[in-house]
Amino acid sequence: MILFLYGTLLDPTVLARMSGERALARRLRPARLAGWRRVFLRGTLCPTLVEDAAAAVEGAVLRAGPAALARLSDYEGSAYALTPLTVATARGPVRAQAWIAPPWRAEADRDWP
């Protein structure tokens, strides 16, 4: 599965630890998601996304195998659901999935750094 990562999993150390695959970070490729904005998940220091036609989120795409995907899903937890979307990459548009919380769980007035 191709994932779009936009938060804590962009850190190679976090990605390696949470996925159980040390080399996974080498497969990250820059990507941009138009029409969305990165904000805080309500009551946490974690990010989520909200739709915003005037915004865009920089992140990365990554192809993850079943074992890594299962571990990363556990890390993301029940606050997030995999959501299909299309991101822009150097090679053109790519269909990917991103962990996004429901809009009511987002602090839409507080952008994530």
Side-chain angles (χ1 to χ4, degrees):
M1 173 182 293
I2 298 176
L3 299 172
F4 175 70
L5 305 179
Y6 59 88
T8 58
L9 290 174
L10 291 173
D11 180 321
T13 303
V14 174
L15 181 60
R17 188 174 67 244
M18 296 300 115
S19 70
E21 296 183 22
R22 289 183 184 183
L24 201 58
R26 284 189 246 146
R27 298 198 311 240
L28 288 170
R29 298 293 175 255
R32 186 171 199 262
L33 176 62
W36 293 79
R37 185 166 45 96
R38 188 174 24 222
V39 298
F40 281 94
L41 180 67
R42 190 173 307 285
T44 75
L45 296 177
C46 299
T48 190
L49 301 177
V50 292
E51 291 189 78
D52 181 339
V57 175
E58 301 297 328
V61 288
L62 167 74
R63 184 177 300 276
L69 182 60
R71 288 179 57 114
L72 293 173
S73 290
D74 287 344
Y75 169 68
E76 293 293 345
S78 63
Y80 297 91
L82 279 172
T83 304
L85 38 78
T86 301
V87 297
T89 71
R91 293 183 178 179
V94 172
R95 292 289 297 156
Q97 304 260 337
W99 279 287
I100 301 174
W104 64 268
R105 298 210 54 185
E107 290 186 34
D109 59 339
R110 196 166 76 123
D111 288 349
W112 198 76

